[in-house]
Amino acid sequence: AIALPKGVSFTVHSEGAHHVDLLLFKKGASKPYAIIPYPEKYRIGDVFSMIVFGLDITDLEYAFRLDGEFNPQEGLWFDRKRVVVDPYARKLVIRSEDPHYPYRAAVTVDTFDWEDSTAPSLEQNEMIIYELHVKGFTAHESSGVKHKGTFAGLQEKIPYLKELGINVVELMPIFAFDEMADPREHEGKILTDYWGYNPAAFFAYHTNYASYDEQHIEGHELKTLVKALHDNGIEVILDVVFNHTVEGDERGPYISFRGFDNNIYYMLTPKGYYYNFPGCGNTLNANHTIVRQMMLECLRNWVYAYHIDGFRFDLASILGRYEDGSPMSDPPLLESLAYDPILKKAELIAEAWDAGGLYQVGSFPSWNRWGEWNGRYRDDLRCFLKGDYGMTHTAAQRITGSKDLYPIEKRG
């Protein structure tokens, strides 16, 4: 959704939908105040687009309903009674207390001034990367910050990071996720999703990591953090989860992709069930043209709108599978990311395995662009440090660069 001088342009696409309704809510309202069907003349191919005039985006939330065939065996889950969120939403609004309309989106505008701030542009052999969880890094009293568990709190810790000698921070997932998606009770306490490895919206950041409600302003606090880190010589890498979504398997909720084109966005078995290579219920169909396009546009947005310097891809081997789950030799998604002009200087780092048994450490498709997390370094050093027999030679090999996995002649 794009804010215009006198209205908002709402555009979505779906291959299987027969009709689409736009639902408009006042901020926090329990019911939509307007339901607007897309006229047929406002559909071009599979794209539905119209401008609605006279809207106040500071007091607006929106969602969609899609009508089409409901046939789970064919992977089709269209249901006009279900409300779903724009897959390209820049801000996800979660109303957990609302059983009928819990997921919505907000319209945002980008007003941030980066001034003359530029990224440090470090070489890989200069990087000292500190992986951290935005909330956990400053949640405790001992952090000594004012804005605990937020982007602003992390910004307060920049002097500490510099003192450590850190020049790259890798943020564990900040894509929007629902902390209440799978609550559990333990010893009288409600346990919620803390880590964020169950994304609900790829273009939106997790709003609970902001210290105040930014309403319709797009990511001002996060951009302020990135600018401050850059100004202090520190780059920013995001841990991104493109292998599955919080919608889970056939027992999971309708949030977004399931209601738009379930058979396109997810890998499905011949009987319409979900392949589960991440071990989280479903698997994104990363090499379908539509899904590949979405991921490209998403990462481009994080680079040009938020000045992010790179990405670490969770369970990245999944991104190299065919629709039937079999491994590809030259995955089009990974190649597209490697050669994309906007991502040209962004770090691309693969966690080169998945929960389905595909292990590619030392052999992940790279095009001289992709780096890897060396999982064998972690595993072998752990064995050595806890005293396993016969690990001295292997540990030395890992510490000196794992030439058995990454021969010098292959490194370019």
Side-chain angles (χ1 to χ4, degrees):
I2 299 174
L4 304 174
K6 296 184 179 180
V8 178
S9 173
F10 295 94
T11 302
V12 293
H13 61 79
S14 172
E15 181 180 286
H18 301 157
H19 305 284
V20 178
D21 295 334
L22 169 67
L23 282 67
L24 301 178
F25 301 78
K26 295 292 185 182
K27 185 179 178 181
S30 60
K31 294 182 179 180
Y33 71 86
I35 300 175
I36 308 173
Y38 278 81
E40 187 60 32
K41 64 180 180 179
Y42 290 165
R43 177 178 183 175
I44 302 175
D46 292 333
V47 177
F48 300 78
S49 184
M50 66 178 169
I51 299 173
V52 181
F53 295 96
L55 298 179
D56 176 9
I57 66 170
T58 66
D59 188 29
L60 180 69
E61 296 169 357
Y62 72 98
F64 297 97
R65 295 187 313 202
L66 288 82
D67 195 15
E69 184 179 354
F70 183 83
N71 185 350
Q73 285 193 325
E74 296 295 325
L76 302 172
W77 287 71
F78 292 102
D79 185 346
R80 201 168 189 172
K81 297 177 183 178
R82 304 275 192 163
V83 176
V84 290
V85 174
D86 180 359
Y88 283 67
R90 297 304 195 266
K91 182 176 181 180
L92 182 67
V93 179
I94 300 175
R95 307 287 181 192
S96 300
E97 72 283 355
D98 189 332
H100 302 295
Y101 309 103
Y103 300 98
R104 313 167 190 184
V107 181
T108 63
V109 291
D110 185 357
T111 61
F112 190 77
D113 182 4
W114 290 93
E115 299 175 317
D116 59 355
S117 178
T118 57
S121 297
L122 302 170
E123 297 294 332
Q124 283 188 344
N125 60 3
E126 300 174 321
M127 293 181 174
I128 303 172
I129 302 175
Y130 192 115
E131 181 188 25
L132 62 87
H133 186 279
V134 171
K135 181 177 180 179
F137 191 61
T138 61
H140 194 265
E141 288 291 333
S142 62
S143 67
V145 304
K146 178 180 179 182
H147 303 288
K148 295 179 179 60
T150 66
F151 297 126
L154 174 53
Q155 184 175 339
E156 293 180 63
K157 298 295 287 187
I158 290 177
Y160 169 72
L161 293 172
K162 292 182 69 176
E163 184 181 345
L164 291 177
I166 301 304
N167 58 18
V168 182
V169 292
E170 181 182 309
L171 305 183
M172 297 173 78
I174 63 168
F175 287 174
F177 66 96
D178 186 357
E179 295 178 351
M180 296 299 297
D182 186 23
R184 304 175 190 184
E185 185 173 334
H186 177 70
E187 297 181 353
K189 283 187 176 183
I190 299 297
L191 304 181
T192 58
D193 184 348
Y194 178 83
W195 296 106
Y197 283 88
N198 269 320
F202 295 119
F203 289 77
Y205 66 92
H206 189 55
T207 55
N208 284 355
Y209 290 162
S211 62
Y212 64 97
D213 184 358
E214 298 183 309
Q215 298 183 356
H216 64 289
I217 303 301
E218 185 179 301
H220 190 276
E221 186 170 319
L222 174 56
K223 292 172 183 176
T224 301
L225 167 64
V226 174
K227 181 178 182 296
L229 287 166
H230 283 173
D231 291 345
N232 282 274
I234 300 174
E235 292 190 353
V236 183
I237 291 175
L238 298 186
D239 185 344
V240 293
V241 183
F242 281 118
N243 50 71
H244 75 284
T245 77
V246 71
E247 288 183 311
D249 60 18
E250 60 275 1
R251 298 164 295 181
Y254 277 75
I255 298 175
S256 181
F257 303 103
R258 175 170 286 141
F260 272 90
D261 278 310
N262 181 75
N263 61 323
I264 286 177
Y265 286 105
Y266 295 117
M267 289 186 186
L268 302 176
T269 70
K271 294 186 177 181
Y273 293 103
Y274 295 86
Y275 283 116
N276 186 17
F277 299 113
C280 300
N282 63 47
T283 307
L284 273 182
N285 191 14
N287 286 292
H288 188 286
T289 303
I290 294 298
V291 186
R292 189 166 79 243
Q293 175 180 301
M294 178 199 69
M295 291 185 183
L296 265 171
E297 293 181 4
C298 176
L299 294 175
R300 288 171 174 173
N301 181 70
W302 285 104
V303 167
Y304 64 69
Y306 287 87
H307 292 201
I308 297 301
D309 302 293
F311 306 94
R312 174 268 188 190
F313 293 78
D314 183 70
L315 299 182
S317 291
I318 285 174
L319 307 181
R321 290 182 179 270
Y322 284 103
E323 292 191 38
D324 64 0
S326 58
M328 310 173 88
S329 57
D330 294 304
L333 171 64
L334 303 183
E335 184 177 16
S336 297
L337 295 176
Y339 290 113
D340 186 77
I342 291 178
L343 304 178
K344 183 71 175 180
K345 294 184 178 181
E347 293 294 332
L348 305 176
I349 305 171
E351 183 183 36
W353 59 85
D354 64 26
L358 187 55
Y359 192 82
Q360 296 176 306
V361 171
S363 62
F364 192 82
S366 71
W367 294 275
N368 288 323
R369 276 285 285 123
W370 283 83
E372 297 176 15
W373 264 26
N374 186 353
R376 293 201 185 279
Y377 180 97
R378 175 201 60 194
D379 298 340
D380 292 342
L381 262 293
R382 179 177 183 272
C383 290
F384 173 72
L385 291 170
K386 67 186 181 69
D388 286 7
Y389 181 76
M391 292 301 298
T392 304
H393 174 76
T394 303
Q397 198 169 41
R398 295 291 164 254
I399 292 171
T400 56
S402 296
K403 293 177 184 177
D404 58 326
L405 299 173
Y406 308 107
I408 293 175
E409 60 270 15
K410 288 181 64 177
R411 295 185 183 185

